[in-house]
Amino acid sequence: MLRQIVYVRDEDAENDDVKEAVLDISGIFAINFLSPSTATNIEVLSVTEFENLKFLPLIISGKPNFVDRVFIVNMVCEFDQESTQTSCNLPMITINNVNDKAYFFTVFVEETNGSTEVKMYPQLPEWLP
């Protein structure tokens, strides 16, 4: 299921470190949709192409060549048990040559100077959990 919302290139899908990174991303969704309890309603308020939005803790530089565009999805989550609403912003990316499909993140293997590294895009700053 996570690969429906996190893009992984076919050639990277069997890499154990990629699989682990995709599972790690699930924590981002748990924070947004399961806190303070399970969201019972999610309303999308806007989808905006990422340009110079302020106060969004994402690193969008270093976009991989297979990522086409980067958007920000602004949502309101309702939690009936708590009678509360929470606003959240998540990235959304489109991938070159993948029509009518968008993802929140991508995890991929990048080769640099003869070694490989698993990367996530958009990237969260190191100060975020």
Side-chain angles (χ1 to χ4, degrees):
M1 170 156 124
L2 284 173
R3 283 199 55 200
Q4 295 296 315
I5 59 176
V6 177
Y7 178 75
V8 176
R9 298 180 299 188
D10 289 339
E11 62 265 29
D12 297 333
E14 294 306 314
N15 181 297
D16 288 338
D17 292 331
V18 168
K19 291 177 184 178
E20 184 177 326
V22 170
L23 286 175
D24 288 346
I25 289 173
S26 66
I28 295 168
F29 300 105
I31 289 169
N32 284 298
F33 302 128
L34 301 177
S35 179
S37 59
T38 302
T40 54
N41 186 42
I42 299 172
E43 179 183 354
V44 174
L45 299 178
S46 65
V47 177
T48 308
E49 189 155 9
F50 193 96
E51 291 178 15
N52 292 318
L53 299 176
K54 304 287 187 214
F55 307 116
L56 188 65
L58 293 171
I59 299 170
I60 63 162
S61 59
K63 179 173 79 167
N65 61 1
F66 59 86
V67 172
D68 182 29
R69 297 166 74 189
V70 181
F71 299 88
I72 299 302
V73 180
N74 178 259
M75 298 172 268
V76 171
C77 301
E78 293 180 12
F79 302 92
D80 280 347
Q81 290 178 335
E82 308 293 328
S83 298
T84 60
Q85 291 183 329
T86 302
S87 175
C88 92
N89 295 302
L90 286 173
M92 183 177 71
I93 59 174
T94 58
I95 305 297
N96 295 326
N97 303 317
V98 177
N99 295 326
D100 300 323
K101 182 80 171 136
Y103 301 86
F104 289 111
F105 293 93
T106 182
V107 175
F108 60 99
V109 175
E110 182 174 82
E111 291 190 37
T112 309
N113 299 327
S115 64
T116 61
E117 180 181 1
V118 172
K119 293 192 170 186
M120 177 177 89
Y121 183 85
Q123 184 180 353
L124 299 171
E126 291 183 20
W127 52 268
L128 282 177

